[in-house]
Amino acid sequence: MKTRPTIPDLASAAGVSVSTVNRVISDAGSVRQPTRERVLEAAQEIGFYGLGTIEHSVRSRRETHRLGVILQARSRVFYRDLGAALEAAARSHPDANVELVIDHLDDLSPDNVAARIRRLGQSCETVAVVSAEHPLVSEAIDEVLAGGTPVCGLIGPLSARGNVGYIGLDNWKVGRTAAWAFHRMCREPGKIGILVGNHRYRNQELNETGFRSYFREHDAGFTVLEPQNTYESAAVARELTEKLFHDHPDLCGLYISGGGVTGALAAAREAKRREDFIGVGYEMIEPTRAALIDGTLAMVIAHPFEPFARQTVATMIKAKLAGPDAGAQRVTLGFDIFTSENI
């Protein structure tokens, strides 16, 4: 019968003395934190019976960071999933205890967003915000920055007089990649419709800029129509998509780069489309996955949830530790590309 690992076994696995392991177990203050972490890692690897005691000893002496994140409504699948990924990243952070405060907002009015930024700035050590650009939001960010709390734009860049960090995708490249898909997949050039959620979200504006820049550069014969604003509403997106197909029966493509995706997809499924019609969507959620499977979408560009969440937590901690005089922390991640063949 296999015997349980002993304290000498753990000491050997961790490369420390038996007395050091005993001091970690007894939570003595004379053991350096990196050594505690090494003993904990070894205990997890060998299945040491006293793992719970060691975990308590190690975690109780880790530094604690209180981070605040403002996301959009929990009813939106993307933000519910992102919130869950952020909570998982906070729980599993290897080097610190992370207290994560996530504020899901149903009311996205600038004054409400600004009030929530100020509130989190008073109770948290770093704040990350998903928001549209607005002077009231910028003013709130500057007040929080002036109080010594770093602020980062999440998903979309934000501007203020102070140094605002950013964690997200290279949105210009996102737009160019979407344009490349239409160029390569449409059999013949034609008109392409664009749906955006709100022009004040800088990530969506940069998406469109990159999208148009690709076609200007390649002169591929496509006509990019003026973007339609869905106001993040599925009902509005459906109505606008129906109108696009009605007004432009020769529409060869639809780029859904903002909110209201479920409405847009429903309208596209019911519309009489060109045989070579191409749809490109944004973010891998259940509705876009289903649209890839049934052919309504040919490609989806998405944030990589787990790496994005881990990088968000790590960057917010880094911003806190660097201090207000270190400048903004900016991290640009790569994005995922999905088709019906790789989901």
Side-chain angles (χ1 to χ4, degrees), residues 174-184 210-212 214-215 255:
V174 168
R176 286 184 65 89
T177 301
W180 174 90
F182 288 104
H183 185 197
R184 297 297 179 180
F211 192 78
R212 291 183 181 277
Y214 178 93
F215 286 115
Y255 179 31

Side-chain angles (χ1 to χ4, degrees), residues 78-328:
F78 173 77
Y79 288 103
R80 183 173 67 246
D81 290 350
L82 177 57
L86 287 167
E87 289 170 347
R91 287 193 302 270
S92 62
H93 193 278
D95 302 320
N97 299 317
V98 179
E99 297 178 2
L100 187 66
V101 180
I102 298 181
D103 208 347
H104 285 274
L105 302 188
D106 293 303
D107 178 2
L108 300 177
S109 61
D111 55 343
N112 185 54
V113 174
R116 299 302 182 96
I117 291 172
R118 291 187 177 95
R119 187 180 307 169
L120 285 185
Q122 293 172 354
S123 61
C124 297
E125 297 164 311
T126 307
V127 177
V129 185
V130 177
S131 174
E133 285 279 3
H134 193 278
L136 290 175
V137 173
S138 298
E139 183 180 44
I141 290 172
D142 277 322
E143 288 182 20
V144 171
L145 289 172
T149 301
V151 179
C152 299
L154 196 61
I155 297 176
L158 291 170
S159 61
R161 291 189 300 274
N163 290 320
V164 186
Y166 172 64
I167 309 161
L169 307 181
D170 184 328
N171 297 292
W172 188 78
K173 287 186 177 180
V174 168
R176 286 184 65 89
T177 301
W180 174 90
F182 288 104
H183 185 197
R184 297 297 179 180
M185 285 191 270
C186 288
R187 296 175 192 168
E188 295 182 4
K191 298 176 182 177
I192 301 175
I194 306 176
L195 297 182
V196 300
N198 188 322
H199 290 292
R200 283 189 174 270
Y201 286 100
R202 287 178 63 192
N203 59 311
Q204 296 182 25
E205 282 289 285
L206 288 168
N207 284 353
E208 185 198 349
T209 299
F211 192 78
R212 291 183 181 277
S213 76
Y214 178 93
F215 286 115
R216 281 196 300 269
E217 178 182 339
H218 292 278
D219 191 24
F222 289 85
T223 300
V224 180
L225 302 175
E226 281 299 302
Q228 303 295 307
N229 194 335
T230 70
Y231 302 100
E232 307 290 329
S233 163
V236 173
R238 178 170 187 141
E239 182 179 343
L240 291 173
T241 303
E242 290 171 347
K243 189 173 188 305
L244 277 170
F245 280 104
H246 177 271
D247 294 347
H248 306 282
D250 58 341
L251 197 72
C252 75
L254 179 65
Y255 179 31
I256 310 170
S257 72
V261 63
T262 55
L265 292 174
R269 285 190 179 97
E270 296 172 3
K272 184 178 180 180
R273 307 184 309 234
R274 277 177 41 165
E275 185 179 347
D276 64 340
F277 175 85
I278 295 296
V280 174
Y282 196 39
E283 302 306 354
M284 177 51 70
I285 54 179
E286 193 52 44
T288 53
R289 177 184 293 273
L292 285 174
I293 292 171
D294 68 25
T296 308
L297 292 178
M299 189 173 84
V300 169
I301 301 171
H303 285 81
F305 264 143
E306 292 184 6
F308 180 43
R310 290 195 302 270
Q311 188 63 67
T312 296
V313 170
T315 302
M316 292 178 73
I317 292 173
K318 185 177 179 181
K320 168 199 167 180
L321 297 177
D325 298 327

